[in-house]
Amino acid sequence: MKLGAFGLLGVLGLAAGCASSNPDKPSALERRQAIRDAADKTYRSTEGFQTAHWGMSPDEVRAALPEASVAPDGTLRLKTTIAEMPAEVALGFLDNRLAAVDVFFQDVADPRTFQTLMRDLLTRKFGEPKAAREVKRLVKWGDVPVRFAADLAPLQEADGAASAEPLESTLAGQGQFKVLNRWTSLESHVNLTQWTLPARGIMAIQYESAKYAPRRAGLIGRYTAKARQELVKEL
């Protein structure tokens, strides 16, 4: 069917009228984004650290882990015992949702035995770890980022008068790391990591929410940034 000039103008006018008939109505893209935003607000994973699950708010995490408190650097932290060993835990939040947890063990006398035990325990929880060759390849390509939960935004402003440097600052500035084992599930990424400092070694379990991991990819955390700034002084 052929349309004359007036007919074509009429069709275009009708289409424009339909498109602008309700300018306040959200577009399909806006509706999809609203659905995603609503899902983010209600998201609570079945995984995380102990009774604190990915997606929980700071208040929910504090209710789940009442021994946790805000440290001088503004990070929610707690001291506990895991597998009969003292552990220091840092909990990181992204947009006020639990997104990462680091568990540091500073008093490991026998790292090899510790690794064997933790590998067994984490395998019981998350399934078989990735093959060592695959982990080595992923680390080399930068596909296994080693970053700190405390690098995320603090819950409150850091205390500038605090004298002690957080452990993450020391590790970022002086530590060398090796990812010993890695587990991935639909909800979590978990690294069993060995950190080496000039005078001592530290073992760590570093948990990360799989949902929030892509949003952390472009972030340079405060401790990583601070360590880089110190290195600039050497140039």
Side-chain angles (χ1 to χ4, degrees):
M1 178 179 68
K2 295 183 178 179
L3 295 176
F6 290 107
L8 180 59
L9 288 173
V11 172
L12 293 175
L14 178 61
C18 292
S20 61
S21 61
N22 189 357
D24 295 330
K25 185 177 181 180
S27 67
L29 181 62
E30 291 171 333
R31 290 196 299 272
R32 287 195 294 270
Q33 185 60 49
I35 292 172
R36 285 194 292 266
D37 291 343
D40 280 344
K41 291 179 180 178
T42 58
Y43 170 73
R44 300 294 184 276
S45 174
T46 57
E47 294 182 4
F49 171 70
Q50 295 184 356
T51 54
H53 298 161
W54 305 134
M56 280 186 172
S57 68
D59 287 342
E60 289 173 322
V61 172
R62 284 177 169 180
L65 302 170
E67 64 274 27
S69 61
V70 179
D73 70 334
T75 301
L76 190 64
R77 298 179 183 271
L78 67 95
K79 292 185 178 182
T80 186
T81 300
I82 297 176
E84 300 183 353
M85 294 198 62
E88 299 179 14
V89 182
L91 302 108
F93 295 83
L94 188 63
D95 294 333
N96 282 323
R97 300 294 172 185
L98 183 64
V101 177
D102 292 337
V103 183
F104 298 108
F105 301 86
Q106 300 196 52
D107 301 315
V108 178
D110 185 348
R112 186 179 296 275
T113 300
F114 177 86
Q115 179 191 357
T116 300
L117 173 62
M118 289 301 155
R119 175 187 170 113
D120 177 62
L121 297 178
L122 291 167
T123 298
R124 291 170 185 264
K125 183 173 183 178
F126 295 105
E128 287 297 321
K130 291 187 174 296
R133 181 178 298 178
E134 182 180 2
V135 172
K136 185 176 181 180
R137 174 174 55 84
L138 291 172
V139 170
K140 181 178 180 180
W141 289 356
D143 292 332
V144 181
V146 177
R147 47 201 176 195
F148 302 113
D151 268 336
L152 294 171
L155 294 185
Q156 65 185 41
E157 187 175 349
D159 182 1
S163 57
E165 282 283 340
L167 176 61
E168 292 88 350
S169 182
T170 302
L171 293 177
Q174 305 177 37
Q176 300 292 324
F177 74 88
K178 179 180 181 181
V179 179
L180 302 174
N181 298 109
R182 178 171 172 84
W183 294 259
T184 58
S185 70
L186 291 176
E187 297 284 346
S188 303
H189 300 160
V190 183
N191 292 340
L192 179 59
T193 311
Q194 184 174 29
W195 290 87
T196 302
L197 292 169
R200 60 189 173 121
I202 293 174
M203 305 292 287
I205 304 173
Q206 297 183 273
Y207 304 80
E208 181 176 59
S209 162
K211 176 180 176 65
Y212 298 125
R215 294 167 59 184
R216 296 184 67 192
L219 298 177
I220 298 179
R222 49 186 171 148
Y223 293 116
T224 301
K226 182 178 179 180
R228 291 185 182 182
Q229 188 58 40
E230 290 297 320
L231 290 176
V232 167
K233 297 176 181 179
E234 300 178 4
L235 299 177

